């Protein structure tokens, strides 16, 4: 168990809908990362938050947004969903202070858009 | 821009034989390098990392990795493969940024 919790584990929704994925980081970790894993594009970095503020942005679509709350949990919002958004979405957290610390991943949310 | 390459989509090895999963990186300075493993329907699990110092890094489950600066490589190795090692392996790099950039992954298949 990595200590990172993601809910829900599975989500099936229709095109055009909006969903929210939730992540609780390891206790004490201030950084939260979101990744998308699809069959044809591997693991793509989406966005990072540090202590409530956006720290880095990757290949995140404008239809997607995220936030980190004061209790450090994070939510990834996906709207106007398309079939191509079907993927595994991972959250990771990391103890900051140095770039040499590893990130710990949750078990992911499998999103299926039908 | 920093990047990581895993040249093999799949590696097949017989149980008991040594295994190597290759990784090369492209950054201009001294990176931090990581290996993760993903079992079916699971998240990524951290295996090992290279920060500085000894070029041979030991990690979880008997895995080790060799950092080679001149070849910009960080190959994952294990002296004797187990069927239970069959999984998807990812190499990742972090350099001058908080982002962890992943390779495309290599599927390891260990045959009994």
């Amino acid at each position: 168990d990595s200590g990172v919790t993601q809910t829900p584990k599975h989500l099936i929704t229709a095109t055009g809908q909006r969903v929210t994925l939730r992540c609780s980081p390891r206790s004490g970790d201030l950084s939260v990362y979101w990744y998308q894993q699809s069959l044809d594009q591997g693991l793509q970095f989406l966005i990072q938050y540090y202590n409530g503020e956006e720290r880095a942005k990757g290949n995140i679509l404008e239809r997607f947004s995220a936030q980190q709350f004061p209790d450090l949990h994070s939510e990834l919002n996906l709207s106007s969903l398309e079939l191509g958004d079907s993927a595994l979405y991972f959250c990771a957290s990391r103890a900051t202070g140095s770039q040499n610390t590893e990130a710990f991943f949750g078990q992911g949310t499998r999103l299926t858009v039908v | 821009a920093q990047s990581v390459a895993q040249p093999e989509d799949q590696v097949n090895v017989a149980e008991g034989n040594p295994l190597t999963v290759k990784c090369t990186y492209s950054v201009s300075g001294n990176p931090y390098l990581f290996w993760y493993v993903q079992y079916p329907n699971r998240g990524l699990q951290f295996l090992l990392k290279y920060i500085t110092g000894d070029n041979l890094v030991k990690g979880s489950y008997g895995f080790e990795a060799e950092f080679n600066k001149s070849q910009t490589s960080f190959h994952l190795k294990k002296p004797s493969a187990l069927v239970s090692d069959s999984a998807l392996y990812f190499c990742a790099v972090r350099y001058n940024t908080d982002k962890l950039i992943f390779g495309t992954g290599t599927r390891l298949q260990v045959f009994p």
Side-chain angles (χ1 to χ4, degrees):
Chain A
D1 182 9
S2 67
V4 179
T5 304
Q6 288 188 249
T7 56
K9 286 189 169 51
H10 301 277
L11 201 47
I12 301 175
T13 189
T15 54
Q17 294 299 305
R18 172 190 168 94
V19 297
T20 297
L21 313 183
R22 183 187 169 102
C23 170
S24 295
R26 291 190 320 157
S27 177
D29 285 357
L30 299 179
S31 269
V32 169
Y33 304 78
W34 286 97
Y35 285 84
Q36 179 192 57
Q37 185 181 30
S38 54
L39 281 175
D40 58 347
Q41 292 200 0
L43 267 167
Q44 298 290 315
F45 168 72
L46 295 178
I47 198 163
Q48 178 208 356
Y49 277 81
Y50 174 78
N51 202 20
E53 295 194 2
E54 183 183 302
R55 173 67 69 93
K57 220 168 187 176
N59 301 320
I60 188 166
L61 299 172
E62 286 193 11
R63 301 183 285 110
F64 296 0
S65 64
Q67 53 185 327
Q68 186 179 27
F69 295 87
D71 66 352
L72 301 179
H73 92 269
S74 178
E75 292 181 356
L76 179 66
N77 300 296
L78 314 176
S79 61
S80 303
L81 284 167
E82 302 174 358
L83 295 177
D85 297 327
S86 296
L88 254 177
Y89 291 84
F90 285 110
C91 166
S93 74
R94 187 170 77 92
T96 47
S98 171
Q99 287 186 10
N100 63 24
T101 55
E102 59 271 25
F104 291 86
F105 283 76
Q107 296 211 6
T109 293
R110 183 172 293 281
L111 173 66
T112 303
V113 182
V114 297
Chain B
Q2 54 182 295
S3 65
V4 174
Q6 292 182 244
E8 301 155 318
D9 289 336
Q10 180 153 332
V11 169
N12 300 316
V13 64
E15 188 174 32
N17 282 1
L19 69 88
T20 299
V21 182
K22 295 179 181 178
C23 171
T24 58
Y25 65 91
S26 174
V27 300
S28 55
N30 297 315
Y32 299 116
L33 296 157
F34 304 80
W35 275 102
Y36 285 81
V37 59
Q38 184 179 23
Y39 296 100
N41 301 314
R42 302 290 297 275
L44 278 74
Q45 295 179 33
F46 168 74
L47 277 180
L48 50 79
K49 65 182 176 183
Y50 173 80
I51 303 169
T52 186
D54 195 349
N55 289 342
L56 187 63
V57 178
K58 294 192 184 298
S60 307
Y61 313 121
F63 283 94
E64 56 191 28
E66 186 170 9
F67 173 69
N68 187 318
K69 187 170 183 177
S70 63
Q71 297 185 3
T72 61
S73 66
F74 188 55
H75 299 335
L76 182 70
K77 301 182 180 187
K78 188 173 182 182
S80 179
L82 299 172
V83 172
S84 57
D85 292 331
S86 299
L88 190 55
Y89 290 81
F90 288 95
C91 181
V93 64
R94 180 185 294 133
Y95 172 69
N96 266 0
T97 174
D98 276 348
K99 291 189 295 185
L100 197 57
I101 305 300
F102 285 88
T104 50
T106 298
R107 187 164 300 281
L108 173 66
Q109 191 73 45
V110 181
F111 295 95

